[in-house]
Amino acid sequence: MKNTINLIGNTSLLDLKRETTGLPQNIAVKTEFLNPSGSIKDRIALRMIKKAEEEGLIKPGGTIVEASTGNTAIALCYVGAVLGYQVKIFLPREVGEDEKIDTMKLYGAEIEMLDTGYKEKTSDGSVHGSSIEILPRKKCLEAEKSGDNVWWARQFSNPHNAETHKFDTGQEILEQTDGQIDAFVASVGTAGTLLGVGQTLKEYNPGIKVVGVEPSGFPAMRNGKEGIEIIEGITGGLILDAIDLADDVIVVDNDQAVQMADRLVQEEGLFCGISSGANVFAAIEFVRKNPELKNVVTVLPDRRDRYFSIQRYTT
Ligand code: PMP
């Protein structure tokens, strides 16, 4: 029997028009915003929950907790609802737009908003998932320790996050391009997408370039490992491995990301969010710097209607 869970993944890979990119080279986009709850995070939510069940970390009827800027939260709420779990989300107040909160509530989740003080630390309105979610992650750990049958999904360090992209997203990209791919470009929050897809591509052909994209408000990967504050059991995680794997990091500001996201809707009919705009903007920039690259792939992580009240490049 099939249900909506069977619709997760196996997204189409589409070629952008040459008029959109202004380049003779091909930029192809993976339409992750077409996953059932509207983002690439459906993939990791499903795999992380299934593995937690296998590993005995959670039993049906239990509570899943997570810190998220929105997409992982919504994906866990959705998969959790279908599989019979309670979900509690610790959400930074700075990214607590009504459209995200209403979506989570509709799926039946409990939400606790937290003041993270993030705004003071950034130079523009863009938000980097790995740095805004430090306080929410501490709350997740507390909730896991104090409750019975409570499991923190730990998207920032859970190996099954990156493995989803290694085994599924990355493999799909190799098949859909027939291995004809020269570079992969993706925005970094947890770094699960970049790390997992990057590992599959590099295993296939170490010459394939792997490029991270980050909001200019807080370029964590660009700043390097020394810039990442390590709190035992809370921070670090996948992003450290992604720093080792990546060939380059491109920093994109809010306006550049929003303008390209608008163009993707208006010129390509791709109803994708702001980080999708950042990814395409960065892919174009990378091809301009490296014109020998013929085929570049990126992802369109989420849907545009998540950004109706605030247009913000969020990872
Ligand atoms: N774009 C959006 C809109 C996201 O929500 C996220 C993750 N929160 C990312 C990009 C980055 O993906 P990853 O966590 O796999 O690095």
Side-chain angles (χ1 to χ4, degrees), residues 217-287:
F218 203 101
M221 231 179 125
R222 163 72 70 86
N223 291 345
K225 284 185 182 171
E226 306 73 40
I228 294 175
E229 187 195 0
I230 302 294
I231 308 168
E232 186 63 28
I234 302 286
T235 63
L238 307 174
I239 197 165
L240 300 174
D241 294 333
I243 290 172
D244 290 336
L245 186 84
D247 297 287
D248 207 346
V249 179
I250 294 180
V251 175
V252 175
D253 70 33
N254 214 49
D255 289 348
Q256 292 166 329
V258 172
Q259 278 165 25
M260 184 54 77
D262 285 356
R263 291 188 57 209
L264 292 174
V265 178
Q266 292 158 8
E267 297 171 33
E268 298 271 357
L270 293 163
F271 194 65
C272 53
I274 313 298
S275 71
S276 305
N279 285 353
V280 171
F281 183 93
I284 293 171
E285 191 167 304
F286 193 65
V287 173

Side-chain angles (χ1 to χ4, degrees), residues 75-86:
L76 285 170
C77 295
Y78 151 59
V79 179
V82 178
L83 299 184
Y85 292 99
Q86 309 294 312

Side-chain angles (χ1 to χ4, degrees), residues 61-80:
T63 302
I64 299 166
V65 296
E66 187 54 291
S68 161
T69 55
N71 283 323
T72 301
I74 291 169
L76 285 170
C77 295
Y78 151 59
V79 179

Side-chain angles (χ1 to χ4, degrees), residues 79-118:
V79 179
V82 178
L83 299 184
Y85 292 99
Q86 309 294 312
V87 179
K88 176 160 187 188
I89 299 300
F90 293 95
L91 188 74
R93 194 178 299 281
E94 295 85 343
V95 293
E97 291 92 28
D98 287 348
E99 49 268 54
K100 290 182 196 164
I101 292 172
D102 290 348
T103 308
M104 291 178 218
K105 281 190 180 156
L106 199 53
Y107 279 121
E110 188 189 337
I111 298 150
E112 188 173 327
M113 304 268 264
L114 300 167
D115 295 309
T116 68
Y118 181 83

Side-chain angles (χ1 to χ4, degrees), residues 38-253:
S39 87
I40 192 166
K41 298 293 189 172
D42 285 355
R43 294 175 181 268
I44 70 163
L46 180 60
R47 189 178 180 95
M48 291 193 305
I49 294 174
K50 286 288 178 198
K51 291 289 174 185
E53 286 174 344
E54 277 172 39
E55 290 162 16
L57 300 173
I58 190 163
K59 291 183 281 302
T63 302
I64 299 166
V65 296
E66 187 54 291
S68 161
T69 55
N71 283 323
T72 301
I74 291 169
L76 285 170
C77 295
Y78 151 59
V79 179
V82 178
L83 299 184
Y85 292 99
Q86 309 294 312
V87 179
K88 176 160 187 188
I89 299 300
F90 293 95
L91 188 74
R93 194 178 299 281
E94 295 85 343
V95 293
E97 291 92 28
D98 287 348
E99 49 268 54
K100 290 182 196 164
I101 292 172
D102 290 348
T103 308
M104 291 178 218
K105 281 190 180 156
L106 199 53
Y107 279 121
E110 188 189 337
I111 298 150
E112 188 173 327
M113 304 268 264
L114 300 167
D115 295 309
T116 68
Y118 181 83
K119 258 186 205 148
E120 292 82 66
K121 297 182 204 145
T122 64
S123 55
D124 75 356
S126 56
V127 169
H128 198 305
S130 77
S131 51
I132 197 168
E133 287 157 18
I134 294 174
L135 175 65
R137 276 184 261 178
K138 288 180 182 164
K139 291 282 185 183
C140 288
L141 188 59
E142 279 171 30
E144 189 183 55
K145 278 188 180 155
S146 62
D148 193 28
N149 201 9
V150 176
W151 169 68
W152 173 24
R154 288 179 175 74
Q155 60 161 338
F156 289 88
S157 56
N158 190 329
H160 303 304
N161 169 359
E163 282 176 9
T164 308
H165 298 297
K166 184 174 180 179
F167 299 131
D168 298 344
T169 324
Q171 206 54 45
E172 289 168 30
I173 290 171
L174 268 187
E175 284 163 21
Q176 288 168 319
T177 56
D178 286 328
Q180 300 297 304
I181 167 169
D182 304 309
F184 176 72
V185 178
S187 275
V188 172
T190 65
T193 310
L194 192 76
L195 182 61
V197 173
Q199 284 171 338
T200 293
L201 296 180
K202 292 249 183 219
E203 244 167 57
Y204 174 74
N205 172 2
I208 299 174
K209 302 284 181 226
V210 172
V211 182
V213 187
E214 292 187 309
S216 61
F218 203 101
M221 231 179 125
R222 163 72 70 86
N223 291 345
K225 284 185 182 171
E226 306 73 40
I228 294 175
E229 187 195 0
I230 302 294
I231 308 168
E232 186 63 28
I234 302 286
T235 63
L238 307 174
I239 197 165
L240 300 174
D241 294 333
I243 290 172
D244 290 336
L245 186 84
D247 297 287
D248 207 346
V249 179
I250 294 180
V251 175
V252 175
D253 70 33

